[in-house]
Amino acid sequence: MEIFEAIESTEHEQIVFCSNGDAGLKAIIAIHNTVLGPALGGLRMWPYGSEQEALEDVLRLSRGMTYKAAVSGLNLGGGKAVIIGDPRKDKSEALFRAFGRFIDSLHGRYITAEDVGIDVNDMEFIFQETNNVVGVHQVHGGSGDPSPYTAYGTIQGIKAALQWKFGDQDVGKYSFAVQGTGHVGINLVRMLREQGSKVFVTDINEESVAEAVELGAEAVGLDEIYEVDADVFSPCALGAVLNEETIPRFGFKVIAGAANNQLSTEKAGDELAARGILYAPDYAVNAGGLMNVSIEFEGWNKERALRMSRTIYYNLTRIFSIAERDNIPSYKAADRMAEERIEIIGKLKLPHMGKPHRFPGRERNHS
Ligand code: NAD
């Protein structure tokens, strides 16, 4: 891949290659779009097979963050970072502090957070070098684990989809197939069961399945989940589970879950629409985690996080309305809504120039 060609074709603003031999750091920061605000997106650590693979991943993920923030009504742009390395072997204080300095050198144009392979302890090292990090531990006034807020936001997306499809958003009247009972999935199962919903679950992790069964869910096999008799399919594990092999097996009326990149291809999104299955676009449904960390800018508190997550209901309703108005599948409507917002707001504002954030209530005293 020619680097400038890749940057141009994906419409990125800036790519930063970060290297520090002493710390063993090889990282890429991709800033996709800062029209709405500073680029916010997690840091992923992964043993990529090649530098090319790492670049492709960070370009794809950072673009996705632009759309997620825009459709969610946040004043944030899209960015993402990757460290090339094995999270089980290659982590060190020096690695994360070196990376933190690179983030700091961007003066707030990019703000990092946790993603795959990174935990709150790694964030502490980054936080020693820069204030431009969210999702830090609550002892520093941060927002902590975003999963409960992602699950709460997912319920709001589910309600909007039920209301649109059936004219009744009482989740207790419906049945659900939840794929993945990890951090988000188990919180979702708990909330659904509290409302009295019938819930089927599956996961490769037997312990978490047992936890869901304790909550009153019924366990089914890994492949069986695609064919259970339920109104709603809620993917909360892997990407690309909506594909040409699974879709023909669906008896579901609605798809609404937290997993990222659920559609294997655009064609899969067209196929769901053609079959009359209402797809709630993943990046709009799972924005509760992003909303939760974004509140750290003004001082995090739980009530504000929950209140903001409830806006997911209205975002989804707007997406479904655009799909109906323009006679397009819902995944295209979500992209259109995001692009329209960036265009309109972009006319009003200059790109974010990297002004420092204050983060009231947060404490960087490590002594
Ligand atoms: P997690 O790793 O805690 O949970 C994922 C679960 O999926 C695990 O329990 C794992 O065992 C299970 N799983 C893996 N392969 C499976 C398979 N083949 N079949 C069934 N289950 C399988 O992750 P999480 O934080 O709960 O996130 C779940 C999804 O939601 C991911 O796609 C993530 O990107 C997305 N998401 C999470 C957040 C958040 O706040 N955590 C925010 C936005 C999006």
Side-chain angles (χ1 to χ4, degrees):
M1 186 200 285
E2 291 294 330
I3 290 177
F4 279 102
E5 199 181 291
I7 296 174
E8 213 175 297
S9 67
T10 52
E11 299 180 313
H12 275 76
E13 288 179 12
Q14 186 181 9
I15 314 291
V16 184
F17 291 86
C18 315
S19 165
N20 184 306
D22 293 334
L25 176 72
K26 273 189 190 173
I28 312 173
I29 300 170
I31 298 178
H32 178 253
N33 186 300
T34 58
V35 170
L36 297 176
L40 195 155
L43 165 65
R44 180 168 291 198
M45 184 166 184
W46 196 252
Y48 292 102
S50 66
E51 292 170 8
Q52 178 79 19
E53 212 182 283
L55 180 61
E56 278 169 17
D57 206 29
V58 78
L59 292 179
R60 179 179 65 83
L61 293 165
S62 53
R63 190 168 182 277
M65 291 307 295
T66 297
Y67 279 80
K68 187 185 293 207
V71 92
S72 304
L74 297 170
N75 293 320
L76 290 171
K80 202 90 181 181
V82 295
I83 292 182
I84 303 173
D86 187 336
R88 287 165 306 177
K89 295 192 307 225
D90 301 331
K91 287 186 178 182
S92 69
E93 175 183 351
L95 180 86
F96 290 111
R97 290 188 63 175
F99 182 67
R101 292 233 177 151
F102 279 105
I103 294 176
D104 209 48
S105 74
L106 293 167
H107 300 287
R109 274 177 53 71
Y110 169 66
I111 296 166
T112 202
E114 279 174 39
D115 194 64
V116 176
I118 298 294
D119 62 36
V120 75
N121 301 314
D122 309 324
M123 298 321 268
E124 302 260 319
F125 292 130
I126 295 175
F127 191 39
Q128 285 180 34
E129 300 296 338
T130 183
N131 214 8
N132 294 316
V133 39
V134 289
V136 296
H137 199 279
Q138 286 176 337
V139 298
H140 300 295
S143 56
D145 177 12
S147 310
Y149 301 92
T150 303
Y152 183 74
T154 301
I155 288 273
Q156 312 309 313
I158 287 172
K159 282 186 179 174
L162 292 174
Q163 183 66 37
W164 191 264
K165 184 76 184 169
F166 303 112
D168 183 350
Q169 58 178 282
D170 181 352
V171 292
K173 292 183 181 160
Y174 301 93
S175 49
F176 294 82
V178 179
Q179 181 184 46
T181 45
H183 288 94
V184 178
I186 198 73
N187 280 295
L188 180 65
V189 170
R190 183 174 299 110
M191 286 185 249
L192 291 172
R193 289 293 305 139
E194 279 166 6
Q195 306 285 319
S197 312
K198 168 82 188 156
V199 182
F200 299 92
V201 294
T202 195
D203 196 295
I204 51 173
N205 179 341
E206 285 173 16
E207 265 174 50
S208 73
V209 170
E211 202 181 326
V213 169
E214 280 281 299
L215 296 168
E218 185 179 325
V220 299
L222 290 174
D223 195 52
E224 224 180 311
I225 196 80
Y226 300 115
E227 286 178 20
V228 293
D229 182 16
D231 302 306
V232 181
F233 178 41
S234 192
C236 292
L238 312 165
V241 292
L242 309 177
N243 57 50
E244 57 188 27
E245 194 269 315
T246 58
I247 293 172
R249 300 162 66 188
F250 289 174
F252 312 118
K253 312 282 190 312
V254 167
I255 315 271
N260 277 312
N261 304 318
Q262 293 169 25
L263 293 171
S264 61
T265 56
E266 292 198 343
K267 205 166 146 247
D270 299 338
E271 183 61 26
L272 288 172
R275 288 173 183 259
I277 301 172
L278 182 64
Y279 169 63
D282 47 14
Y283 65 75
V285 172
N286 69 20
L290 177 63
M291 291 175 171
N292 181 55
V293 292
S294 77
I295 292 170
E296 278 184 45
F297 292 112
E298 291 116 33
W300 184 82
N301 81 57
K302 186 176 170 177
E303 205 35 59
R304 292 193 63 200
L306 293 174
R307 186 163 181 266
M308 199 186 251
S309 298
R310 287 196 284 275
T311 64
I312 289 174
Y313 181 97
Y314 301 100
N315 299 337
L316 262 301
T317 304
R318 175 110 181 87
I319 291 167
F320 298 142
S321 312
I322 291 172
E324 189 175 77
R325 180 196 74 190
D326 298 351
N327 196 21
I328 52 174
S330 55
Y331 78 91
K332 279 196 181 140
D335 286 359
R336 193 166 287 181
M337 182 166 145
E339 285 160 8
E340 281 175 2
R341 180 162 178 256
I342 293 169
E343 200 193 327
I344 292 164
I345 304 298
K347 283 183 187 154
L348 306 176
K349 269 178 147 186
L350 286 172
H352 181 72
M353 301 303 282
K355 76 175 185 263
H357 301 286
R358 288 184 304 108
F359 300 99
R362 253 176 43 171
E363 192 48 72
R364 289 185 66 215
N365 182 356
H366 293 276
S367 58

